[in-house]
């Protein structure tokens, strides 16, 4: 008979090992880092493009300034409303859905011909760019406890690199092909990342749904609240 402390410890270990059936290779960690960097870069793309946007859409200086404001307001709302969904919904589906919706928002901005459409699109980009936070949390949940700090550090480094390179990349693309090209390129990259993330997430589901081993040394299994067949640790890890 387990006392309460041991029972709590075992349940905690089982939950922390939720992604232990899936091995995070360096390539997968780099994929998460690139996805984070690409998503957060969209928040900062507009900063060197404001003057060009204003001239193209005949916007007043005050209205041009609201482009950046609305993007960050959208990001703040996303942190408040969307990020917590990762605790109650399937992070795999949430990440792919947010990336696909981000593609739509980027396409809307790239095709905008009025200030109202542009501002609405920028707010949507900010709202959906918080997929970065969900990606970091998902990577942490998949990493083994011993390597969790390294994985989170690598993924968040993608966030920093995305922020630093966003303005340079958008300014360069605007000089070469106009300001809309930056959002078209980002929409294409985000769509590709959504497809790759979908395949990667399918791999985690396939591995976690493998049948449980029937080893007599395994501790008794109990139904899991997060949808797996059984709980445990070590050789009898979550299935």
């Amino acid at each position: 008979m387990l006392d309460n402390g041991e029972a709590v410890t075992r349940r905690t270990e089982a939950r922390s090992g939720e992604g232990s059936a899936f091995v995070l290779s360096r390539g997968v960690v780099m994929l998460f880092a690139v996805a984070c960097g690409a998503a957060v870069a969209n928040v900062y793309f507009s900063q060197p493009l404001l003057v060009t946007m204003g001239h193209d859409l005949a916007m007043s200086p005050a209205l041009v300034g609201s482009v950046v404001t609305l993007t960050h307001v959208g990001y703040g709302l996303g942190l408040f409303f969307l990020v917590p969904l990762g605790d109650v919904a399937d992070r795999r589906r949430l990440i792919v859905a947010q990336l696909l919706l981000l593609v739509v928002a980027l396409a809307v901005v790239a095709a905008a011909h009025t200030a109202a459409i542009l501002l609405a699109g920028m707010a949507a980009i900010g709202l959906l760019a918080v997929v970065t936070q969900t990606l970091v949390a998902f990577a942490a949940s998949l990493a083994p406890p011993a390597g969790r700090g390294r994985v989170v550090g690598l993924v968040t480094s993608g966030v920093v690199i995305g922020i630093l390179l966003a303005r340079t990349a958008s300014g360069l693309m605007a000089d070469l092909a106009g300001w809309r090209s930056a959002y078209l390129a980002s929409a294409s990259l985000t769509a590709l990342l959504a497809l790759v993330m979908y395949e990667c997430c399918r791999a985690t589901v396939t591995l976690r749904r493998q049948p449980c081993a029937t080893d007599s040394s395994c501790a008794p299994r109990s139904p899991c609240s997060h949808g797996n067949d059984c709980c445990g640790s070590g050789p009898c890890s979550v299935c």
Side-chain angles (χ1 to χ4, degrees):
M1 186 72 178
L2 294 173
D3 61 26
N4 290 338
E6 289 175 338
V8 171
T9 301
R10 181 161 293 181
R11 287 196 298 269
T12 303
E13 288 174 351
R15 187 162 181 83
S16 66
E18 181 177 339
S20 60
F22 179 75
V23 178
L24 271 181
S25 65
R26 179 169 289 273
V28 174
V29 175
M30 289 298 104
L31 170 63
F32 275 80
V34 170
C36 284
V40 77
N42 294 304
V43 177
Y44 300 92
F45 274 160
S46 65
Q47 294 183 8
L49 310 178
L50 293 176
V51 174
T52 307
M53 287 179 174
H55 285 310
D56 190 23
L57 300 178
M59 299 167 65
S60 66
L63 201 56
V64 170
S66 65
V67 170
V68 175
T69 302
L70 283 176
T71 306
H72 285 83
V73 168
Y75 194 86
L77 291 174
L79 290 174
F80 190 77
F81 291 107
L82 295 184
V83 173
L85 292 179
D87 293 330
V88 297
D90 187 345
R91 286 197 184 110
R92 297 165 178 80
R93 295 179 180 178
L94 187 62
I95 288 169
V96 174
Q98 282 186 263
L99 287 174
L100 291 175
L101 290 173
L102 184 56
V103 172
V104 175
L106 289 165
V108 167
V109 169
H113 291 287
T114 65
I117 295 176
L118 175 69
L119 294 175
M122 296 303 297
I125 286 175
L127 180 72
L128 296 164
V130 296
V131 68
T132 299
Q133 312 298 329
T134 310
L135 282 163
V136 173
F138 186 40
S141 70
L142 290 176
R148 189 163 294 155
R150 179 184 63 84
V151 169
V152 172
L154 288 172
V155 173
T156 53
S157 69
V159 178
V160 176
I161 292 172
I163 293 172
L164 293 177
L165 294 182
R167 301 171 185 85
T168 301
S170 64
L172 181 61
M173 284 186 282
D175 288 340
L176 294 175
W179 68 269
R180 298 177 191 272
S181 65
Y183 291 95
L184 287 173
S186 184
S188 301
L189 176 60
T190 304
L192 177 61
L193 287 170
L195 176 62
V196 176
M197 290 297 301
Y198 174 73
E199 293 298 327
C200 179
C201 290
R202 281 180 60 191
T204 67
V205 172
T206 300
L207 287 171
R208 286 177 56 199
R209 287 183 178 173
Q210 291 176 347
C212 294
T214 56
D215 187 342
S216 60
S217 65
C218 292
R221 311 295 178 79
S222 59
C224 292
S225 60
H226 45 78
N228 291 315
D229 296 330
C230 55
C231 297
S233 59
C236 313
S237 58
V238 174
C239 299

